[in-house]
Amino acid sequence: MRDYKFRQTEWPRRKTRSKTLRIVAVLLVAVALGLLGYAALQWFSQEPTAGGTVINRPSPRVLPLAIPPLAPTEATSTAETSARPGQN
């Protein structure tokens, strides 16, 4: 049964939305959340330790070299001879 009081239209009143726009929006949100998670991971991985010092992770291309401590006799003799005259 038709209602003749209202004008019948052929076209739907509302356009159907494209699914590609929704897919692009979902992908952008997923990428944004991934970047936010990665930034949080980087932030928390460089937090100071309990001692208050930041763990320094050098580049894998840099070789850490251990410097041996000076002997007590060498330390006192170099300190006395390195002072310039007139300085205490």
Side-chain angles (χ1 to χ4, degrees), residues 45-75:
S45 68
Q46 296 193 5
E47 280 289 311
T49 59
T53 60
V54 176
I55 299 171
N56 188 7
R57 295 184 180 98
S59 172
R61 296 177 60 183
V62 175
L63 296 174
L65 299 175
I67 300 173
L70 292 174
T73 57
E74 293 176 7

Side-chain angles (χ1 to χ4, degrees), residues 9-84:
T9 59
E10 261 182 57
W11 305 102
R13 294 180 185 207
R14 188 169 150 184
K15 289 184 178 179
T16 57
R17 292 184 181 174
S18 173
K19 289 186 180 183
T20 56
L21 182 63
R22 182 176 291 173
I23 291 171
V24 169
V26 167
L27 284 175
L28 286 176
V29 167
V31 167
L33 287 175
L35 289 174
L36 185 65
Y38 181 73
L41 179 69
Q42 292 297 319
W43 175 271
F44 288 118
S45 68
Q46 296 193 5
E47 280 289 311
T49 59
T53 60
V54 176
I55 299 171
N56 188 7
R57 295 184 180 98
S59 172
R61 296 177 60 183
V62 175
L63 296 174
L65 299 175
I67 300 173
L70 292 174
T73 57
E74 293 176 7
T76 56
S77 65
T78 57
E80 293 170 2
T81 59
S82 65
R84 290 189 216 162

